[in-house]
Amino acid sequence: MKSLKTDDVMKKGIILVFATMLCCACCGPKTNTAVYLDDSKPLEQRVEDALRRLTLEEKVALCHAQSKFSSPGVPRLGIPELWMNDGPFGVRAEILYNSWEVAGNNNDSCTAFPALTALASAWDPSLAARYGKALGEEARYRKKDVQLAPGVNICRTPLNGRNFEYMGEDPYLVARLAVPYIQEIQKNGVAVCVKHYAVNNQEQWRDSVDVEVSDRALREIYLPAFKAAVQEGGAWSLMGSYNLFRGEHCCHNDLLLNKILKEEWGFDGAVVSDWGGIHDTRQAALNGADIEMGTNKPYDEYYMADAMAELFRSGEVPMEVLDDKVRRVLRLNMRTAMNRNRPWGSFNSPEHTALAREVAEQGIVLLKNEGNLLPLNTEKFRSVAVIGENATRVHAGGGGAAKVKARYEITPLEGIRTRFGDKVKVNHAMGYCSYTPLADRVIPEPYDNAELKKEAVAVAAASDVVLFIGGLNHNRYQDSEAFDRASYELPYGQEELLEAILDVNENVVLVLVSGTAVDLSFAGGIPAIVQGWYGGSEAGNALAAVLAGDVNPSGKLPFSFPAQLEDCGAHAFGPEAYPGIDLKEVYKDDILVGYRWYDTKGIEPLYAFGHGLSYTSFAYGKPKTDKSFYAKDGTVKLSFDVTNTGPVDGAEISQVYVSQSKASVMRPVKELKGFAKIFLRAGETRRVEIELPVSEWAFWDEAGAGWVVEPGEFVLHVGAASDDIRHSVSVDVK
């Protein structure tokens, strides 16, 4: 018995020892998590911890691509790769890892949001924020880390093939829309990559044209939206442009990237090259490039790969230069791919579809409406002819980098038939063909344009009203990356076709599907003209809603329509100013871009910046300011009443322009410095209040290399468009 008890005690002791050991193992000190992996640590502390762990080879690898749309991480340390994605209107279809061929997936059809020209025409920062939020959600769901958007370049000429990717001719408007777009995308843990920095305003010779522009025009016109994107939007990455500026490619340009972007503006993100935009290893190392993408070489032969590593290994370029690049890439990675707390996103949701339609509706601009032909009266018009190739053409899958694989795209004809089909007879004719054979192949034209024209005229004659859905498309030399437009005129014989239609039916509504201005000098006899843009997935439904009057159009133009191309400042000085001579281009229009040029030179545009009609009318009360004298760092509080004096509810975009009565330098007649969009019931009056910081009235002083607000009288102009000023009020700055 005694021995049994002893055995029991021994067993219990052994069990107790093991239990104690287990407890110590479970409750003892844990292995410390590396600082760079610890989400609770400050970002900069994590970046520095990761940086000190990297070899030279790993640092350099972070600075160049590993596939068409990704750059490497550091597998040894668990730092993931970065996945990038076009574009500004949706999440691009997946392509093969090391090829531009589409992967052929069946789960990458996205919501196609309207082009940014449509968003800009809504003049609504809150709508821009919702657009950015939805785009960020779609990118996040598709596991993208960097969305190559938005484009904030200035529309200097209507011939630029990528105008449809941008937000107009005025830097203030572009900035006010870009900032909320950027902020909301990045709340999804997806970085924006603001593009294309800078003075990238044409596609012709885009890889090699050397742009010369004054410091003043650079600062007042071409950089403000980028500056706002960085300092207000908090952009996490930025893309250099293809062109040269003052002899250096913009993707490794010391003035633009080092001195202005990083030193002056305090940008802490990564500079990503445009695809194939790096041309020199030493310049890329020293002049501010951080990630090289798209160079047509094996990845280890990129300019910022093995060749750059040798510069640092030999000491020819100091190691701190490389470390600065790597810090920026790590910072970008920790904000996106390494951010374990970012949301999951959503894809093709009903909310995204509804938003795409809302943006398309709010962006449509009613340019002309003689005799109130619109909205269509289905009691008066019992048959409608829908004519034009763009009535049935889809556009989301074209245009270059901006193309997306849309889950669906409602064409104008589909939208019109859905909305009007049970009330009127809808007749359809193609009218013209936009077939453009490739230069190296002879292919029979699939349509006879003469027969198409004959058919269309017959359909027009047999109908009460004609809806001509024309404009441009994403073919070469139209609205397309890599090509500027060949002509300002409407292509494919549309002008002649419209004139023939007017001969048999005077009730014509011209709907322009385009991303830029077109020549409408022939269109005096057309009673109604609508700028419809590229409207995305819900384009046809949005257009039909406006034509029917279900939605009262409220869009305003984000750029001017010159009556003739030569009226535009970029085209007023011959080829030296556009597209350049011997790959040298001088922006002789200087600060007078868009309405600034027309106002200052006394040239009347066909349709002015800010122009847009409604199915109702609005009256403006006289503006008042809170006081008459302001300091240079003060803020003017401007207020005025707007009344809906027409028969239907609608939204009005009120615009405030500022001019300086006397200045020591040439200044434009006026410049946009504020706007507000309000919705008013028929007969309703509302007070509009806009705050105008006086500091934003400054000009760039080239002699002093800084911003200057000169004391004196300033005039604030309140109006419905740049050429429709209703009232003005003067204030003094002391």
Side-chain angles (χ1 to χ4, degrees):
M1 294 288 292
K2 228 175 200 187
S3 63
L4 284 174
K5 285 182 180 179
T6 303
D7 289 343
D8 287 343
V9 170
M10 291 179 64
K11 288 178 182 177
K12 289 178 181 179
I14 292 170
I15 292 172
L16 180 61
V17 169
F18 276 109
T20 302
M21 292 174 62
L22 182 62
C23 181
C24 291
C26 294
C27 302
K30 296 181 180 179
T31 303
N32 289 331
T33 302
V35 171
Y36 75 95
L37 294 174
D38 189 344
D39 296 340
S40 68
K41 300 295 185 185
L43 175 62
E44 294 308 312
Q45 190 175 337
R46 296 175 63 201
V47 167
E48 292 302 320
D49 182 64
L51 178 66
R52 71 177 179 81
R53 299 171 186 267
L54 300 178
T55 66
L56 171 65
E57 290 72 23
E58 288 169 337
K59 290 178 180 180
V60 170
L62 291 174
C63 296
H64 64 80
Q66 66 171 7
S67 75
K68 293 300 184 187
F69 273 109
S70 71
S71 61
V74 185
R76 178 178 66 85
L77 298 177
I79 297 174
E81 55 202 6
L82 285 170
W83 282 92
M84 306 178 191
N85 171 73
D86 280 320
F89 323 140
V91 186
R92 186 173 180 159
E94 300 298 335
I95 66 170
L96 298 179
Y97 188 81
N98 200 29
S99 164
W100 290 109
E101 293 184 27
V102 294
N105 296 357
N106 59 10
N107 63 346
D108 56 354
S109 299
C110 69
T111 304
F113 295 99
L116 289 190
T117 43
L119 176 64
S121 298
W123 289 59
D124 188 343
S126 64
L127 189 64
R130 292 165 57 205
Y131 189 118
K133 179 178 184 292
L135 179 56
E137 287 171 346
E138 297 235 338
R140 177 66 188 99
Y141 185 88
R142 288 270 300 279
K143 297 179 174 59
K144 306 303 179 185
D145 303 307
V146 181
Q147 189 76 9
L148 305 179
V152 299
N153 294 100
I154 295 298
C155 297
R156 177 178 178 249
T157 164
L159 298 190
N160 183 3
R162 297 187 82 167
N163 278 346
F164 72 101
E165 295 186 48
Y166 304 139
M167 291 184 276
E169 71 188 23
D170 182 77
Y172 179 82
L173 175 62
V174 176
R176 298 283 56 82
L177 299 175
V179 167
Y181 174 108
I182 290 166
Q183 290 171 334
E184 292 299 322
I185 283 184
Q186 293 190 162
K187 286 180 182 178
N188 290 279
V190 175
V192 298
C193 189
V194 185
K195 60 188 188 181
H196 304 89
Y197 184 77
V199 289
N200 178 230
N201 306 293
Q202 68 191 64
E203 289 299 283
Q204 186 169 344
W205 306 331
R206 65 177 184 173
D207 299 293
S208 49
V209 67
D210 188 0
V211 173
E212 179 59 46
V213 60
S214 72
D215 285 341
R216 188 172 172 206
L218 181 72
R219 297 290 189 153
E220 293 187 21
I221 303 297
Y222 298 106
L223 294 190
F226 289 102
K227 182 178 180 181
V230 169
Q231 294 191 334
E232 299 177 54
W236 292 339
S237 68
L238 177 144
M239 182 186 295
S241 60
Y242 282 126
N243 55 287
L244 293 87
F245 172 63
R246 298 181 184 173
E248 285 185 344
H249 276 94
C250 291
C251 284
H252 36 80
N253 187 291
D254 182 54
L255 175 61
L256 291 177
L257 299 179
N258 285 336
K259 292 184 171 61
I260 296 178
L261 176 66
K262 294 182 176 180
E263 295 174 17
E264 182 181 326
W265 294 351
F267 177 64
D268 71 353
V271 172
V272 181
S273 79
D274 205 340
W275 270 231
I278 299 291
H279 299 269
D280 182 274
T281 295
R282 184 176 178 81
Q283 285 192 14
L286 290 170
N287 290 357
D290 297 316
I291 302 177
E292 178 184 3
M293 299 296 296
T295 302
N296 189 25
K297 294 181 178 182
Y299 298 113
D300 60 357
E301 295 179 16
Y302 272 33
Y303 295 98
M304 296 179 68
D306 290 354
M308 189 173 76
E310 187 54 36
L311 289 180
F312 294 112
R313 188 178 290 111
S314 67
E316 185 175 344
V317 178
M319 187 61 66
E320 52 262 32
V321 174
L322 177 59
D323 286 348
D324 179 73
K325 297 179 189 298
V326 175
R327 285 187 182 95
R328 294 173 182 278
V329 178
L330 289 171
R331 207 175 280 130
L332 175 62
N333 202 314
M334 290 176 184
R335 285 165 167 164
T336 59
M338 291 180 71
N339 178 3
R340 285 181 282 246
N341 298 314
R342 56 181 176 167
W344 290 104
S346 57
F347 197 60
N348 283 322
S349 67
E351 292 80 9
H352 292 178
T353 299
L355 176 64
R357 176 166 177 168
E358 183 181 353
V359 173
E361 291 173 346
Q362 297 300 310
I364 289 173
V365 182
L366 180 61
L367 296 176
K368 183 179 180 181
N369 194 22
E370 291 181 354
N372 293 322
L373 181 57
L374 292 175
L376 291 179
N377 184 343
T378 55
E379 298 299 322
K380 178 180 178 182
F381 301 121
R382 304 303 300 169
S383 61
V384 175
V386 179
I387 297 172
E389 189 191 63
N390 277 341
T392 56
R393 185 172 183 137
V394 294
H395 298 278
K403 67 182 178 182
V404 297
K405 180 180 173 182
R407 182 165 59 97
Y408 68 89
E409 184 176 347
I410 303 296
T411 66
L413 181 60
E414 289 175 312
I416 290 165
R417 279 179 168 160
T418 299
R419 176 60 183 81
F420 294 101
D422 60 344
K423 295 180 175 63
V424 299
K425 182 181 179 183
V426 178
N427 305 313
H428 172 247
M430 185 174 176
Y432 67 90
C433 170
S434 67
Y435 175 76
T436 52
L438 298 176
D440 57 347
R441 282 189 284 166
V442 178
I443 305 173
E445 188 171 337
Y447 293 98
D448 184 332
N449 269 320
E451 287 299 314
L452 292 178
K453 179 179 178 180
K454 182 178 178 180
E455 177 194 11
V457 171
V459 168
S463 304
D464 294 331
V465 65
V466 175
L467 302 177
F468 187 97
I469 319 294
L472 308 178
N473 55 40
H474 292 314
N475 283 358
R476 294 182 177 189
Y477 306 107
Q478 298 298 318
D479 281 325
S480 177
E481 182 186 8
F483 302 94
D484 276 353
R485 291 169 59 193
S487 168
Y488 185 45
E489 299 174 352
L490 281 175
Y492 316 123
Q494 292 178 73
E495 179 178 337
E496 294 77 11
L497 174 57
L498 278 161
E499 289 172 345
I501 288 172
L502 282 168
D503 287 340
V504 300
N505 192 327
E506 62 181 9
N507 296 318
V508 176
V509 178
L510 169 59
V511 177
L512 295 169
V513 177
S514 74
T516 189
V518 298
D519 185 0
L520 295 176
S521 58
F522 72 92
I526 298 176
I529 303 177
V530 175
Q531 178 62 49
W533 312 113
Y534 298 109
S537 289
E538 287 286 319
N541 288 334
L543 175 63
V546 169
L547 296 176
D550 304 333
V551 172
N552 190 349
S554 61
K556 304 264 189 173
L557 288 177
F559 46 68
S560 313
F561 273 54
Q564 55 186 358
L565 187 61
E566 294 74 19
D567 290 346
C568 173
H571 298 272
F573 300 94
E576 184 181 3
Y578 174 86
I581 297 176
D582 297 329
L583 300 180
K584 300 285 186 181
E585 182 179 26
V586 181
Y587 282 18
K588 292 192 170 184
D589 45 336
D590 202 53
I591 64 169
L592 300 181
V593 175
Y595 69 89
R596 291 168 169 80
W597 172 265
Y598 300 110
D599 286 352
T600 306
K601 299 298 182 180
I603 299 171
E604 185 177 350
L606 183 64
Y607 295 112
F609 173 81
H611 170 77
L613 305 176
S614 171
Y615 297 149
T616 190
S617 56
F618 299 95
Y620 284 70
K622 292 184 178 180
K624 299 178 182 178
T625 58
D626 56 331
K627 53 187 178 181
S628 58
F629 296 94
Y630 298 87
K632 294 179 183 180
D633 59 353
T635 297
V636 176
K637 295 181 180 179
L638 183 71
S639 61
F640 53 90
D641 290 338
V642 178
T643 302
N644 183 342
T645 56
V648 297
D649 303 342
E652 172 67 340
I653 299 165
S654 303
Q655 301 155 42
V656 179
Y657 298 84
V658 175
S659 60
Q660 187 172 7
S661 301
K662 295 180 181 179
S664 61
V665 297
M666 185 277 294
R667 303 206 68 176
V669 168
K670 60 181 182 292
E671 298 178 276
L672 182 73
K673 295 299 177 183
F675 60 90
K677 183 175 185 177
I678 57 169
F679 180 83
L680 296 169
R681 303 286 182 188
E684 182 183 4
T685 297
R686 282 182 57 188
R687 175 65 55 87
V688 176
E689 296 180 345
I690 298 177
E691 293 191 352
L692 305 167
V694 176
S695 60
E696 293 185 359
W697 305 353
F699 64 85
W700 181 262
D701 177 26
E702 292 187 315
W707 293 99
V708 173
V709 178
E710 287 186 333
E713 182 186 48
F714 287 80
V715 182
L716 315 182
H717 309 278
V718 176
S722 63
D723 67 343
D724 185 9
I725 301 301
R726 304 296 179 87
H727 299 287
S728 300
V729 61
S730 297
V731 298
D732 286 328
V733 172
K734 291 190 175 182

